[in-house]
Amino acid sequence: MGKTFKKILIISLSVTAVLAIVLGIHIYMVTKPRIDEKTLSMARMDMASDINQQDAEKIASWLYRQAGVAHVLCNAESNTVVFNFYPAKASANDITAAFNQSFPYKASRYMPDPKAMQSGCPVSVNTFSGKVSGLFKSII
């Protein structure tokens, strides 16, 4: 009985170790940052001066003509521009710099503070996976 128990224990520990390694590799592969032609990012520009609806339409039109820009939302009330772009084709910093050279009103790129960056996506907090993740974070 002792020999059989040892075999079962060794096999169980080996299977557990292999599964843990596979899980670790899977987590790494899923969470590692990757930028390819399908990656879509979002950026925000804050206008230094007030803009009206006509200005917002001109800005949106100009941004749509930029390489790599997929979608633009320009809000004249809050003086902000949010755009989706493909980082493999364009850089949000370059787009903002080109914007500042092309228009009389200046914009600065909004960057969240480090605390906001650590909190992750604000949408995911309300999802089931966000709640499970929060549970694990509170345990650790």
Side-chain angles (χ1 to χ4, degrees):
M1 176 131 168
K3 199 172 192 181
T4 307
F5 179 73
K6 272 187 175 179
K7 279 186 179 182
I8 292 172
L9 184 62
I10 289 172
I11 291 171
S12 297
L13 290 174
S14 299
V15 169
T16 303
V18 168
L19 290 174
I21 290 169
V22 169
L23 178 62
I25 292 170
H26 170 73
I27 290 171
Y28 172 75
M29 296 298 288
V30 170
T31 60
K32 74 176 182 175
R34 60 179 172 254
I35 296 177
D36 58 15
E37 66 279 352
K38 296 176 187 174
T39 303
L40 190 62
S41 293
M42 184 180 287
R44 178 177 131 187
M45 292 189 307
D46 292 333
M47 307 309 259
S49 58
D50 288 339
I51 59 171
N52 58 34
Q53 190 58 39
Q54 290 175 334
D55 294 333
E57 290 169 9
K58 288 178 192 175
I59 292 167
S61 176
W62 182 87
L63 280 168
Y64 273 119
R65 290 192 305 268
Q66 304 308 301
V69 174
H71 187 68
V72 178
L73 296 171
C74 190
N75 189 335
E77 291 178 19
S78 63
N79 300 316
T80 58
V81 180
V82 177
F83 59 96
N84 291 349
F85 66 100
Y86 294 97
K89 296 179 183 179
S91 161
N93 291 333
D94 292 345
I95 291 171
T96 303
F99 175 85
N100 284 329
Q101 291 176 352
S102 300
F103 284 93
Y105 23 78
K106 300 301 175 203
S108 61
R109 182 143 177 246
Y110 170 78
M111 295 297 291
D113 61 4
K115 183 179 179 184
M117 292 293 285
Q118 284 183 338
S119 68
C121 179
V123 176
S124 68
V125 174
N126 297 324
T127 63
F128 175 74
S129 60
K131 291 177 183 177
V132 171
S133 174
L135 176 68
F136 283 122
K137 286 181 183 176
S138 68
I139 292 172
I140 299 172

